[in-house]
Amino acid sequence: MFENLTEKFQRVYKNLRGEGKLTEEHINLAMGEIRTALLEADVNVKVAQDFIERVRAKALGSEVMTSLSPSQQVVKTVHDEMIALLGGQAVKLRFKSQPPSVILMAGLQGSGKTTTSAKLAYWLSRNGHRPQLVSVDVYRPAAREQLKIMAQNAGMPIFEGPPGENSPYELARLARREAIMSGRDTVIVDTAGRLHIDQQLMEEMKKLREQLEPTEILFVADAMIGQDAVNSAAEFHAKLGLTGIILTKMDGDARGGAAISIRQVTGQPLKFIGLGEKFDAFEMFHPDRVAGRILGMGDVLSLVEKAEQAMDAKKARELEKRMFAADFSLEDFREQLKQVRKMGPMDQVLGMLPQVGPLQGLSKAKVDERELTKTEAIISSMTVKERNNHQIINGSRRKRIAVGSGTSVQEVNRLLKQYVQAKRMMKTFSSGFMGRKLAKMKLEEMFQGQPQ
Amino acid sequence: MPIQSLFGPPPPPSLFDRFKKAVTSTRDTLAAKLEEATRGKIEVDQALLDQLEVTLLAADLGITTTTELLKAVKTRASSTTAQAGDTSTQVRDILKDELLGILTRSGSGAPANPTAEPPVVLMLVGVNGVGKTTTIGKLAHQLKGNGKEVLLCAADTFRAAANEQLEVWAQRSHTEMIRQKPGADPSAVLYDALAAAKSRGVDYVIVDTAGRLHNKSNLMAELEKMKRTAGRLIPGAPHEVLLILDATTGQNGVLQAREFLQAAGVTGIVLTKLDGTAKGGVAVAIARELNLPIRYVGIGEQRDDLVPFNPKLYVDSLFE
Ligand SMILES: Nc1nc2c(ncn2[C@@H]2O[C@H](COP(=O)(O)OP(=O)(O)OP(=O)(O)O)[C@@H](O)[C@H]2O)c(=O)[nH]1
Ligand SMILES: Nc1nc2c(ncn2[C@@H]2O[C@H](COP(=O)(O)OP(=O)(O)OP(=O)(O)O)[C@@H](O)[C@H]2O)c(=O)[nH]1
Ligand SMILES: [Mg+2]
Ligand SMILES: [Mg+2]
C-alpha cells in the first residue's frame, strides 16, 4: 500500500524528531523521503526536483529558531515553501465593471467542466451574483442535456439556444445577449473537452476567447491526473492565457500533486476545488489549507467552517457545552450525529481532519453511511431514560433495542462500547491541546472510525 | 466465446498504424530521451540510471515499477558482455524485455473467458469521467460489425443525462438499449436488461455503470450488488468486468485498480485517451502489481477509436 503524502511527511517528521541538531545528513534524508512522497503524489518529476532544491537551500541556510526544534523547522520550511508555491492566499474571481462578465471553462475530456460549471453558477448565486449558464459543447453526446439537468437541479438559469443551433460561437453570442437582457451579471460558458494537441479545437477555444473577452479562463483539472498534467496545462496556458485552475474530484484519495505541477507550469492560481458530484460539493481553494492537508496538519479550517455552516449555531454551542460536561448522553450523541451528517458525506468530512496527534490514522477507516444510519436507528429505539443513562441498558433491553432497530445485539453492544470510549476521549480533549471545536470533530471521527 | 475473437483476425495493418500513431508521442519522448541519455556512454553509470529514472517516472510508471525496472537494467547489463559502444541499445533491449515481461505475465491482450454461452455480459466500471460510456459505444459498434447482436444496459442512473448519452451511442452503433428513470436502482435496470437479453437471444449485453470514486464504500458495494444480480440471472455473468482507466491518470490508478478488483472482480483494463500526450504508464504498474491484463486502448472520441491492446506493439512502439 502506498503511503499517502501526509503519512510520509509524518514519518519524516518522526525520523527527525528527537534529533538535537540539524545536520546536512538529516536534511538530505528528509529530502529523499519528501521526493519519494511528492512523486507518489504525482507531482511532476521536474517540479518535485525544483521544490526539493529550494527547500534544501532554505533549510541549510536558515537560522535555527529557538522556538522550534530543528526537525520542526524542516517541516515548517517544507510547509511554508509549499504554501508559497501553491500561491499564498485564496484568490478571488475577477469581474468586469460593466456586466456581464464571461467565465470560460476549459480542460481535457472528462475533467469535470460541465459539473463544475453548474457548481460555479450555484456558488456565485450564493455569493451575490446572478449567473447564467450556457453549454457550447456541440460535440459530446448529450453534453448540453447534461448541463441543462444540472442547472435545473441547482436552480440556475441556462440558455439553451434555438433548436438546431450548432455553432459554439453563435450559442455563446446569443447567451451573452440573453444575459444582458435578463440582467445577469455573469455568463459561465461550458466548453467541450479537448486535447491540448488538438489544433482545430484549440483554435476554436481561441476564437471563443477573442469573441467573448472572458474575465476568467478556468482550467478544470482532475485531481487524479499524473505527470502529463504539466504538458496539457502548459499548452492550454500558452494557447489561451489561463487565469485560474479548478481541481476536481478532490473527494477521492488522489494525493493531488497535480495542484503543485499545474500551478508551477502556468503560474496561475488555484481558485476552487470540487468535492463531489452534486452542485454544492464545491469550495474555494485555500493554499494554506491544502498545503496543511498535504503535510499532515489536516484541513482543520475548512472543516470548522463547514461545521459552522451546517450546524445551527445555537444548538451547536449548547451541544458543545454538554459534550464536555460529564453527562454527555446518547441523546446528545444522536443529535450531534445528525448535525455532522449535514456537513456532507462522512468520508469527505473525515478526510479534512488533521493527521497528527493520538488520533492519526483513524480517518483512514472506511466510513459506511449505512453504519451511521444504523447507529441512529439504534439510539432511536432506546427510551428517553435509556438515552440519558446508558448504564440501565441491560441484556433484555439490548435485545429489545436490537429488534426495534432491525440490528443485532452485537451491534447494540458495539455502539454502547464506542459511546463509553468516546466519553473517555472527550475528557482528554477538553483538557486540551487542540481546542474544543476540534475535539468535537474528533469525536465523530472516533465513532465512525470503528464501524467494525 | 473468446472476447478477442469477436474482433476477428489479427489487426490489419491500418490498425497497427493507428495504434502506433497513438503511442508515437510516447515513443518519441521515451526513445529520444533514452537516446540522449545513453549516447556515447559505455557503462550504465549512475548518471545514466538517474536519467532513465526521470524518463520512466515521467511516463507515470511510478516509483516502485521504475525502481524495479532500473534494478533489472543494472543487474542484467552488468552480466551481459558489453558490445563496444552500444550501451544504448543494450539498455533499451533490457528495458523493453522487462516491460514486455510485465505485460506478458499479466496476459495483456490475450483472450479471456473462452467458454461462455451467450448472452455474454460485459460490465464497464471506473472512476468518474474516464470514458466508460464512450468505450461501450465503441465496443458495441465493433461487435455489431462482427455480426453480433448487442444489447446496451444503461445502469448509470445517477449522472445527469447518462441515459441520453448512452442512447446516442446506441443509435450510432445500431443497438438497442434498456433503461429506466434516473435515480432507479442500477441492479433493477441490470435485471431488466439481462431478462430482455435472454428472451431476445442476444449475444452480448454491455453494462454501463455510473462513475464512482473507489474510496466510496457505499458506491463500491452497489457494484458488488450488481455483480450478484447478474450472476443470479445468468450463471457466470458478468463474464468480463473491464476497468476503464484514463491514460492521464497518475499513481492513483493503482489504488483504483485495487479497489475495483476487490469490489467488482475486474478482469481487464481498457486504457482510454491514449491519443493525448499522456503515456498511461500506470497501467503497466497495475499489470505488474495486480496481474491485470490490458485489453483495449481508446484513441479518440469516435466509434472506431478503440483498438485491441497488443503488448508487443506497445513496447515495440516505445523502443523501435
Ligand atoms: N466525485 C467527483 N466527481 C466529479 C467531480 N466533478 C465532476 N465529477 C464527475 O466526473 C464526471 C465527468 O464530469 P463532467 O462534468 O461531465 O466532465 P467534463 O469535463 O464536462 O467532460 P467532457 O465534457 O466529456 O469533457 C462525471 O461523472 C461527474 O459527475 C468531483 O468533484 N467529484
Ligand atoms: N480523446 C479521447 N477522449 C475520450 C476517449 N474516450 C472517452 N473520451 C472522452 O472522455 C469524456 C468522458 O467520456 P465518458 O464516456 O462520458 O466517460 P464516463 O466514464 O462514462 O463518465 P461518467 O459516466 O461521467 O463517469 C468524453 O468527452 C469522451 O468523449 C479517448 O479514447 N480519447
Ligand atoms: Mg462536459
Ligand atoms: Mg458514463
Side-chain angles (χ1 to χ4, degrees):
Chain A
M1 180 80 182
F2 284 120
E3 280 181 292
N4 67 33
L5 192 47
T6 293
E7 289 164 343
K8 202 85 180 183
F9 277 121
Q10 265 165 25
R11 199 147 62 79
V12 174
Y13 185 84
K14 214 158 59 204
N15 287 347
L16 286 171
R17 191 156 38 200
E19 297 292 340
K21 225 173 69 189
L22 194 64
T23 65
E24 190 167 346
E25 196 189 325
H26 292 140
I27 293 174
N28 286 341
L29 171 80
M31 296 309 133
E33 295 270 20
I34 290 166
R35 176 177 187 258
T36 306
L38 292 173
L39 288 173
E40 282 182 354
D42 290 323
V43 176
N44 179 270
V45 59
K46 300 235 169 66
V47 175
Q49 208 53 50
D50 280 2
F51 182 79
I52 301 287
E53 287 316 319
R54 274 206 305 274
V55 171
R56 191 203 306 275
K58 284 209 174 134
L60 276 174
S62 69
E63 278 184 33
V64 177
M65 290 159 73
T66 45
S67 58
L68 294 177
S69 74
S71 60
Q72 284 171 326
Q73 186 141 359
V74 175
V75 173
K76 184 178 179 310
T77 311
V78 173
H79 181 240
D80 289 351
E81 194 57 32
M82 195 166 280
I83 290 180
L85 201 152
L86 285 172
Q89 284 170 3
V91 182
K92 295 216 170 82
L93 291 174
R94 280 172 299 203
F95 295 92
K96 271 199 175 125
S97 51
Q98 186 72 29
S101 306
V102 174
I103 300 177
L104 200 54
M105 311 295 275
L108 297 173
Q109 286 93 344
S111 63
K113 295 171 296 301
T114 303
T115 308
T116 305
S117 298
K119 287 176 177 180
L120 184 58
Y122 180 74
W123 187 88
L124 283 174
S125 77
R126 304 255 293 189
N127 285 275
H129 289 277
R130 289 171 51 76
Q132 181 191 267
L133 287 159
V134 62
S135 167
V136 301
D137 182 354
V138 297
Y139 308 103
R140 169 174 159 178
R144 286 156 72 184
E145 184 67 17
Q146 185 190 354
L147 186 65
K148 184 177 144 190
I149 293 173
M150 287 218 71
Q152 277 165 359
N153 290 344
M156 292 295 113
I158 179 163
F159 178 75
E160 292 180 59
E165 181 54 71
N166 269 325
S167 155
Y169 312 112
E170 194 56 13
L171 283 166
R173 189 183 69 80
L174 292 172
R176 203 165 166 282
R177 203 182 62 178
E178 168 74 19
I180 294 170
M181 288 195 313
S182 53
R184 299 268 144 199
D185 68 358
T186 317
V187 183
I188 299 170
V189 183
D190 179 25
T191 65
R194 63 202 71 213
L195 293 173
H196 50 291
I197 51 171
D198 186 328
Q199 297 301 339
Q200 206 178 330
L201 283 183
M202 289 305 280
E203 198 53 41
E204 175 194 277
M205 201 76 179
K206 240 164 129 174
K207 280 196 197 139
L208 278 170
R209 188 197 64 183
E210 280 155 24
Q211 178 192 327
L212 297 167
E213 297 180 338
T215 53
E216 294 280 355
I217 305 176
L218 301 177
F219 185 62
V220 180
D222 187 323
M224 294 177 274
I225 194 169
Q227 297 286 321
D228 198 51
V230 293
N231 294 325
S232 51
E235 192 62 23
F236 266 92
H237 186 52
K239 288 258 158 69
L240 302 170
L242 303 172
T243 63
I245 297 142
I246 298 180
L247 211 58
T248 64
K249 309 181 198 175
M250 285 284 275
D251 47 326
D253 58 2
R255 275 147 283 165
I260 298 176
S261 302
I262 299 173
R263 161 78 198 170
Q264 182 78 338
V265 296
T266 62
Q268 298 308 303
L270 284 120
K271 291 193 170 165
F272 294 94
I273 57 172
L275 286 161
E277 299 191 63
K278 301 235 172 79
F279 59 82
D280 59 352
F282 191 64
E283 284 177 5
M284 278 194 90
F285 178 88
H286 291 280
D288 48 342
R289 294 181 192 172
V290 172
R293 176 166 154 168
I294 292 170
L295 296 175
M297 292 161 194
D299 200 2
V300 181
L301 287 178
S302 293
L303 184 66
V304 169
E305 204 174 67
K306 248 190 154 171
E308 278 171 352
Q309 263 175 23
M311 288 198 191
D312 177 326
K314 218 162 133 199
K315 233 184 198 169
R317 258 197 307 276
E318 262 169 41
L319 193 61
E320 192 180 345
K321 236 199 253 156
R322 250 181 307 157
M323 202 179 350
F324 292 103
D327 61 345
F328 175 67
S329 70
L330 279 161
E331 178 62 42
D332 296 331
F333 176 60
R334 185 174 64 150
E335 181 57 35
Q336 184 188 15
L337 205 58
K338 266 197 207 139
Q339 299 280 12
V340 169
R341 293 186 77 181
K342 265 198 240 159
M343 293 195 290
M346 277 312 280
D347 49 354
Q348 181 186 319
V349 171
L350 292 183
M352 290 186 288
L353 286 163
Q355 287 287 314
V356 288
L359 292 157
Q360 80 184 54
L362 266 189
S363 69
K364 285 195 59 176
K366 287 230 175 91
V367 177
D368 195 333
E369 297 284 342
R370 284 171 310 184
E371 284 296 327
L372 291 181
T373 311
K374 244 189 229 165
T375 302
E376 276 193 55
I378 292 174
I379 303 179
S380 298
S381 293
M382 296 175 183
T383 64
V384 177
K385 237 185 179 165
E386 286 166 346
R387 277 182 223 152
N388 287 324
N389 181 10
H390 73 281
Q391 275 160 340
I392 65 166
I393 307 179
N394 58 19
S396 65
R397 283 175 191 259
R398 285 174 199 222
K399 227 178 266 166
R400 192 205 76 238
I401 293 166
V403 172
S405 58
T407 59
S408 64
V409 173
Q410 287 95 311
E411 283 170 310
V412 174
N413 288 342
R414 195 179 67 210
L415 176 74
L416 288 169
K417 201 170 129 206
Q418 286 177 328
Y419 166 67
V420 173
Q421 283 173 351
K423 269 186 99 147
R424 201 179 312 134
M425 207 115 200
M426 273 176 307
K427 273 201 199 122
T428 322
F429 280 129
S430 51
S431 61
F433 70 107
M434 263 198 277
R436 293 184 139 222
K437 215 161 226 161
L438 182 54
K440 194 169 62 193
M441 297 308 127
K442 281 299 170 196
L443 182 71
E444 281 87 42
E445 183 181 25
M446 209 223 69
F447 267 70
Q448 292 321 314
Q450 332 184 318
Q452 253 70 134
Chain B
M1 170 183 314
I3 297 286
Q4 293 286 329
S5 74
L6 301 171
F7 300 95
S14 70
L15 215 52
F16 175 83
D17 286 343
R18 298 185 64 210
F19 189 94
K20 246 169 74 175
K21 193 158 164 266
V23 292
T24 296
S25 52
T26 317
R27 183 200 60 216
D28 282 353
T29 345
L30 205 56
K33 282 190 190 152
L34 210 60
E35 204 67 69
E36 194 185 305
T38 56
R39 195 179 299 129
K41 296 249 168 59
I42 293 161
E43 281 177 2
V44 189
D45 59 11
Q46 192 54 44
L48 170 59
L49 286 174
D50 285 351
Q51 239 169 334
L52 288 178
E53 186 191 37
V54 169
T55 307
L56 293 173
L57 287 172
D60 283 318
L61 270 92
I63 190 111
T64 315
T65 306
T66 297
T67 309
E68 289 289 315
L69 284 166
L70 292 181
K71 222 163 56 192
V73 168
K74 219 152 92 179
T75 336
R76 285 179 57 177
S78 67
S79 65
T80 311
T81 336
Q83 311 279 302
D86 211 12
T87 317
S88 150
T89 311
Q90 283 179 45
V91 171
R92 193 186 310 193
D93 285 347
I94 292 167
L95 262 178
K96 199 162 139 176
D97 197 54
E98 290 296 320
L99 280 163
L100 198 57
I102 291 171
L103 295 171
T104 316
R105 272 194 299 281
S106 65
S108 287
N113 227 18
T115 51
E117 293 262 315
V120 173
V121 180
L122 314 180
M123 194 161 133
L124 276 71
V125 300
V127 297
N128 306 81
V130 286
K132 294 174 291 297
T133 307
T134 308
T135 302
I136 287 175
K138 296 172 183 175
L139 274 172
H141 172 67
Q142 290 202 7
L143 288 167
K144 273 301 260 203
N146 285 290
K148 303 294 171 193
E149 273 315 308
V150 182
L151 186 67
L152 303 186
C153 169
D156 177 357
T157 58
F158 181 77
R159 212 210 63 203
N163 275 346
E164 288 82 348
Q165 186 187 359
L166 191 65
E167 184 84 63
V168 172
W169 279 108
Q171 280 158 17
R172 286 183 185 173
S173 58
H174 309 289
T175 50
E176 307 244 335
M177 166 177 140
I178 300 291
R179 63 187 277 179
Q180 284 188 16
K181 286 210 182 72
D185 178 0
S187 291
V189 189
L190 179 59
Y191 190 96
D192 281 1
L194 296 186
K198 283 211 291 198
S199 72
R200 294 181 202 180
V202 304
D203 301 308
Y204 281 86
V205 182
I206 316 183
V207 186
D208 193 13
T209 61
R212 69 201 70 219
L213 295 177
H214 51 282
N215 61 337
K216 313 224 159 160
S217 51
N218 53 338
L219 297 181
M220 296 307 277
E222 185 183 272
L223 278 185
E224 288 173 37
K225 182 177 163 194
M226 289 178 73
K227 250 199 102 184
R228 282 196 304 273
T229 303
R232 261 204 308 275
L233 244 84
I234 298 173
H239 305 93
E240 282 266 7
V241 179
L242 294 173
L243 175 71
I244 313 303
L245 191 75
D246 185 328
T248 63
T249 310
Q251 296 313 297
N252 192 248
V254 179
L255 302 185
Q256 291 169 23
R258 233 184 252 148
E259 295 296 326
F260 277 99
L261 177 62
Q262 207 187 9
V266 168
T267 59
I269 291 169
V270 180
L271 194 57
T272 61
K273 310 188 194 175
L274 210 60
D275 47 327
T277 52
K279 335 271 188 237
V282 72
V284 178
I286 293 170
R288 177 184 158 276
E289 193 193 314
L290 299 173
N291 225 29
L292 276 176
I294 309 168
R295 292 268 153 81
Y296 307 106
V297 167
I299 52 169
E301 300 184 75
Q302 305 306 316
R303 59 186 184 183
D304 288 318
D305 294 334
L306 186 76
V307 296
F309 181 82
N310 182 320
K312 186 130 185 3
L313 296 190
Y314 182 73
V315 174
D316 276 352
S317 59
L318 289 177
F319 290 100
E320 74 192 357

